[in-house]
Amino acid sequence: LDNWPFEAKTAIIEALDIVEATIEIENLMTVGVIWSGDLNEYSTLAETYTKFGSIQTRGKFSILDDTYKYPRELLNQITGEFDGENIVMAFNAKKDWNYPKEQEPNIHQQDLITVCLNEILHGLGISSSFTKSNESKPYIYDQYIVDDNGVAIIDYPTENSQQNALRSDNVFYNGPNILDINDGEPLKLYAPNHFSGASICHLDRQYQHDEKGNLLIPGTNYGQSNRYFGEYVLAILEDLGWHIKVDYKSVPDKTENIEEDMIQVYTQGNTIHITNPSSRLMHIRI
């Protein structure tokens, strides 16, 4: 492990605060974080290690389907049976990072808060058994990976046909919450012909300028930041079994007067930000 810059620790905590403000977390959750230059040898920006579990061995789960494996952290939130770190994120200490939330990354930088949010999503279950070998069951995310005819890739008859589909650039995510908010249309997943393990755990790059989903594009964007999960990402998390805090995803249905001392104004490059720290719903960019 390399020595952590104080600013990096602060950025990680900022990202985890956003997670806590977004998702209903009823029981103790710990997240391990590695800051290491070793990832540079593999040209890796960041990666996440996640434990998955089968529900048969963890009591009765009437709301879950024992056909699939679930992220262990979700099972722990349901049962309250804390069993240590189920999510570990690793970040490349040798990359050029932007740390402060009040500052935009330059065109050569990645934003650490943004990348951390991207990685924690994989830890929360946006991860596929197709990336592993010898898994006994598909992951809950896998049931929603389909071809352009709506056929689930896990239902393909052979491993070879599955792998061909995952490299077809024609794979989609059709979870029920996504179909509900997207006029019945699925989202395109990242499935290039140079498929790597994590490819389909990301949305296609066509969403890179869409705040509803650009937090989940592969590698995120140099020179850009996103400190909000976005509607598509929240819907996917709900498909997996997580509960999103109502005040985070709901739009107020009434006019509310906000006093001057309740808002913050700061600049990032050529952008002026106006936020209300007490409500994640208010964020104005000029």
Side-chain angles (χ1 to χ4, degrees):
L1 299 183
D2 294 5
N3 291 327
W4 274 64
F6 174 78
E7 297 88 347
K9 291 183 178 180
T10 301
I12 296 295
I13 292 171
E14 292 278 2
L16 295 178
D17 283 345
I18 294 172
V19 174
E20 190 172 16
T22 308
I23 298 171
E24 292 184 4
I25 300 174
E26 301 294 336
N27 300 303
L28 178 64
M29 176 190 293
T30 67
V31 178
V33 183
I34 298 170
W35 185 258
S36 174
D38 291 345
L39 274 67
N40 207 51
E41 298 179 17
Y42 307 99
S43 301
T44 300
L45 180 70
E47 58 188 12
T48 300
Y49 312 92
T50 310
K51 294 179 182 177
F52 279 75
S54 182
I55 63 175
Q56 295 99 315
T57 61
R58 302 179 58 82
K60 296 181 179 179
F61 294 86
S62 59
I63 62 172
L64 303 182
D65 186 340
D66 65 4
T67 305
Y68 306 99
K69 283 189 173 183
Y70 289 79
R72 287 288 292 271
E73 193 52 60
L74 176 60
L75 300 182
N76 286 342
Q77 292 304 312
I78 294 172
T79 64
E81 298 174 5
F82 174 73
D83 61 357
E85 292 177 356
N86 292 311
I87 302 171
V88 178
M89 301 182 292
F91 298 92
N92 189 333
K94 295 185 178 180
K95 291 295 184 181
D96 186 4
W97 294 102
N98 175 70
Y99 301 122
K101 68 176 181 180
E102 298 83 8
Q103 176 178 301
E104 280 290 297
N106 64 45
I107 60 173
H108 304 293
Q109 289 179 317
Q110 287 274 3
D111 184 71
L112 185 55
I113 295 177
T114 303
V115 173
C116 183
L117 290 177
N118 175 287
E119 292 301 317
I120 196 72
L121 289 173
H122 302 309
L124 295 174
I126 302 180
S127 185
S128 173
S129 64
F130 291 121
T131 69
K132 312 294 181 183
S133 59
N134 301 318
E135 272 290 4
S136 58
K137 294 181 179 181
Y139 296 167
I140 182 62
Y141 176 77
D142 292 330
Q143 70 170 311
Y144 303 122
I145 301 175
V146 301
D147 61 22
D148 56 351
N149 292 314
V151 177
I153 305 302
I154 58 174
D155 291 336
Y156 275 38
T158 65
E159 181 178 351
N160 186 57
S161 62
Q162 291 176 343
Q163 293 301 316
N164 286 339
L166 297 175
R167 292 170 171 80
S168 67
D169 193 31
N170 201 31
V171 181
F172 302 84
Y173 177 89
N174 74 344
N177 283 286
I178 284 295
L179 298 179
D180 185 54
I181 68 170
N182 199 40
D183 297 325
E185 293 295 324
L187 301 177
K188 187 176 183 182
L189 295 176
Y190 185 58
N193 58 15
H194 56 282
F195 174 82
S196 67
S199 295
I200 54 171
C201 303
H202 297 87
L203 297 181
D204 189 80
R205 288 192 178 278
Q206 72 182 49
Y207 302 103
Q208 64 182 350
H209 300 299
D210 187 341
E211 289 190 351
K212 291 183 289 186
N214 65 4
L215 188 64
L216 200 55
I217 66 168
T220 70
N221 287 323
Y222 280 93
Q224 295 185 21
S225 67
N226 185 350
R227 285 73 178 264
Y228 174 71
F229 283 124
E231 289 181 65
Y232 291 159
V233 174
L234 294 177
I236 293 173
L237 290 176
E238 288 188 298
D239 286 336
L240 303 182
W242 292 97
H243 295 288
I244 308 302
K245 291 184 177 180
V246 173
D247 61 349
Y248 192 87
K249 66 176 182 177
S250 300
V251 177
D253 58 2
K254 62 181 180 179
T255 301
E256 179 182 359
N257 294 323
I258 300 175
E259 302 298 331
E260 184 176 353
D261 60 1
M262 294 172 61
I263 67 172
Q264 290 182 350
V265 180
Y266 59 91
T267 61
Q268 292 180 326
N270 295 325
T271 303
I272 301 172
H273 294 255
I274 306 173
T275 66
N276 177 5
S278 67
S279 172
R280 298 282 178 179
L281 297 173
M282 176 182 166
H283 190 164
I284 300 169
R285 298 177 178 87
I286 303 174

